[in-house]
Amino acid sequence: MVWIARRSLLRRSCSPLVHTVMYEPRVLEHKRTGRALEPEKDHTRSVSLLEQKRKVVSSSIDVPQARKSEEEVDMDKVTAAMVLTSLSTSPLVRSPPVKVSEGLNGSWKDGGFTPSSYSSSGYWSWSAPSDQSNPSTPSPPLSADSFKPFRMPSLSGPPDDIIDEHDGNSLLFDEPIPRKRKNSMKVMFKCLWKNCGKVLSTAAGIQRHIRTVHLGRNCDSECSDGEEDFYYTEIKLNTDSVADGLSSLSPVSPSVLSPLPGLDQRQPDGTNGAKSENSTTTPLSRSAPSALYLVHTDHAYQATAPVTIPSASSTGFTPSSSSFSISWQSPPTHTRSCAHHTHAHTELQCAFRKSRGEGKKCRKVYGMENRDMWCTACRWKKACQRFVD
DNA sequence: GTTGCCGGGTG
DNA sequence: CACCCGGCAAC
């Protein structure tokens, strides 16, 4: 959800990678030295003050110039290193998306950045509260872009995304992060390959299992050619009541959706698929080993689905539009997930519906005329709490 | 038909 | 959350 939007922004803003590096040597200098920038002073200082300063320190002008060329050399190195790093990075996103923002904030702070210096364009303000202490120094979008490449080494996710989206071979949904679920739901992942049914606690684990056991691959995701089918399903276990019954859940039993809301919602025109909300099955799910499952797969063309949103950047993609994608992704997903959970739960309870209580219940004991003497559960037509079997 | 009780609706 | 009820399945 949020991370999709963030990724969108990242891709949009980081495309001219080299250029943004070259345009802002100050940032590099700051990053290298770790000294805190003084953006307000630099930006707001009046012309007269600058000219006065020139007069005073005119003799030292050569020093920064010499340092600048030196910086350019360093920038080339850094740029090359960054490109190489990005190219050599696995296309799979391993870190939880939410870490993106954390990483950003962290790197800002670690590097001595203050949001007021470069986020004043409002470019990122939608995703993180920024300390815009000096709104009188609006930075152009370029400056907002400029520091991102230097953040990248501290990030594990977004740089990969950038590369992914450039080569079009994205596997962005390596592991859908299971949301924190209420009702003590435990999420397991069950392999759907025939005669397997292995259940693992993490999507990465089940993918590794499928890759090694069923696909015969020994290497990790780096070897993925983007054509792997990871037929597994997410099983939500209600650890409160039905954990035991579900532990032996067969593939025929109803299951729940894979939490990939954006899979089908890609529209050919690049818009988000809010209108295709009702469509929950993917083309792959139809060819899944079990027709009753909605299967989590890692096909590249599926994984790229949400990232098509930023493709609209050329036609005016803005942070506001990304917040729109958040709004349509999150709530329907949750609702649908709950609905499926309820459905699964219902059928399970139908399968494991406990037999009728043998003992007498309030109704029998007290009779209809003494209904007020019943336990509340009996009065509410619930399972009797007084005469528990 | 009676009984127990689950799921869902309502306030 | 309390409260109520439709409806289902077992009896």
Side-chain angles (χ1 to χ4, degrees), chain A residues 169-235:
Chain A
N169 189 22
S170 310
L171 283 175
L172 300 172
F173 283 91
D174 175 53
E175 178 168 349
I177 307 305
R179 293 187 198 86
K180 286 186 176 178
R181 288 170 168 79
K182 300 175 182 178
N183 305 328
S184 62
M185 294 296 293
K186 181 177 176 66
V187 180
M188 304 294 283
F189 298 89
K190 184 185 180 97
C191 177
L192 294 181
W193 284 79
K194 266 192 172 181
N195 302 325
C196 181
K198 187 176 183 62
V199 177
L200 293 174
S201 59
T202 63
I206 199 69
Q207 287 176 10
R208 195 179 306 114
H209 157 78
I210 292 172
R211 188 180 290 117
T212 57
V213 176
H214 301 302
L215 298 179
R217 297 176 188 271
N218 292 327
C219 51
D220 207 318
S221 58
E222 286 81 359
C223 298
S224 168
D225 55 5
E227 293 297 322
E228 296 167 305
D229 289 347
F230 294 104
Y231 290 126
Y232 64 90
T233 187
E234 180 182 321
I235 302 173

Side-chain angles (χ1 to χ4, degrees), chain A residues 10-61:
Chain A
L10 280 172
R11 185 172 86 156
R12 178 181 183 269
S13 56
C14 294
S15 294
L17 225 156
V18 176
H19 291 90
T20 53
V21 171
M22 302 302 288
Y23 284 154
E24 286 284 349
R26 273 177 65 252
V27 180
L28 176 62
E29 171 68 16
H30 154 68
K31 194 75 179 180
R32 247 184 1 177
T33 60
R35 287 198 307 261
L37 285 175
E38 300 181 33
E40 320 306 341
K41 294 177 184 174
D42 290 344
H43 284 293
T44 59
R45 186 162 296 169
S46 65
V47 175
S48 60
L49 199 64
L50 286 174
E51 290 182 358
Q52 188 179 7
K53 185 181 178 182
R54 279 198 202 103
K55 291 174 185 175
V56 173
V57 297
S58 59
S59 59
S60 65
I61 286 179

Side-chain angles (χ1 to χ4, degrees), chain A residues 24-324:
Chain A
E24 286 284 349
R26 273 177 65 252
V27 180
L28 176 62
E29 171 68 16
H30 154 68
K31 194 75 179 180
R32 247 184 1 177
T33 60
R35 287 198 307 261
L37 285 175
E38 300 181 33
E40 320 306 341
K41 294 177 184 174
D42 290 344
H43 284 293
T44 59
R45 186 162 296 169
S46 65
V47 175
S48 60
L49 199 64
L50 286 174
E51 290 182 358
Q52 188 179 7
K53 185 181 178 182
R54 279 198 202 103
K55 291 174 185 175
V56 173
V57 297
S58 59
S59 59
S60 65
I61 286 179
D62 289 341
V63 174
Q65 283 180 344
R67 197 175 60 190
K68 183 181 179 181
S69 62
E70 196 176 337
E71 286 173 356
E72 286 180 357
V73 174
D74 287 346
M75 281 185 294
D76 288 341
K77 292 177 182 177
V78 172
T79 303
M82 275 181 350
V83 170
L84 287 174
T85 302
S86 300
L87 286 173
S88 63
T89 312
S90 165
L92 292 179
V93 180
R94 290 292 180 193
S95 62
V98 68
K99 294 292 182 188
V100 172
S101 62
E102 295 171 5
L104 295 181
N105 292 335
S107 63
W108 286 352
K109 290 167 185 172
D110 294 343
F113 276 96
T114 56
S116 60
S117 50
Y118 282 98
S119 65
S120 58
S121 66
Y123 216 76
W124 297 90
S125 60
W126 60 276
S127 63
S130 60
D131 178 19
Q132 302 196 17
S133 59
N134 191 357
S136 65
T137 60
S139 305
L142 182 59
S143 78
D145 290 345
S146 60
F147 61 85
K148 288 167 189 168
F150 297 99
R151 281 203 315 270
M152 291 166 61
S154 66
L155 302 175
S156 56
D160 299 342
D161 298 354
I162 296 163
I163 300 304
D164 291 344
E165 293 151 7
H166 280 303
D167 63 14
N169 189 22
S170 310
L171 283 175
L172 300 172
F173 283 91
D174 175 53
E175 178 168 349
I177 307 305
R179 293 187 198 86
K180 286 186 176 178
R181 288 170 168 79
K182 300 175 182 178
N183 305 328
S184 62
M185 294 296 293
K186 181 177 176 66
V187 180
M188 304 294 283
F189 298 89
K190 184 185 180 97
C191 177
L192 294 181
W193 284 79
K194 266 192 172 181
N195 302 325
C196 181
K198 187 176 183 62
V199 177
L200 293 174
S201 59
T202 63
I206 199 69
Q207 287 176 10
R208 195 179 306 114
H209 157 78
I210 292 172
R211 188 180 290 117
T212 57
V213 176
H214 301 302
L215 298 179
R217 297 176 188 271
N218 292 327
C219 51
D220 207 318
S221 58
E222 286 81 359
C223 298
S224 168
D225 55 5
E227 293 297 322
E228 296 167 305
D229 289 347
F230 294 104
Y231 290 126
Y232 64 90
T233 187
E234 180 182 321
I235 302 173
K236 294 172 185 172
L237 299 181
N238 189 338
T239 55
D240 285 344
S241 57
V242 295
D244 291 342
L246 275 172
S247 61
S248 60
L249 189 68
S250 74
V252 187
S253 301
S255 185
V256 291
L257 284 174
S258 70
L260 294 175
L263 288 185
D264 303 323
Q265 296 170 351
R266 174 176 47 177
Q267 298 294 306
D269 57 358
T271 61
N272 67 58
K275 290 182 179 178
S276 61
E277 176 62 30
N278 293 334
S279 165
T280 55
T281 56
T282 68
L284 277 169
S285 67
R286 290 186 217 113
S287 60
S290 169
L292 293 178
Y293 271 94
L294 289 171
V295 179
H296 182 125
T297 64
D298 269 353
H299 268 295
Y301 68 85
Q302 284 186 319
T304 54
V307 199
T308 56
I309 295 171
S311 69
S313 63
S314 58
T315 60
F317 180 74
T318 63
S320 61
S321 62
S322 67
S323 66
F324 168 72

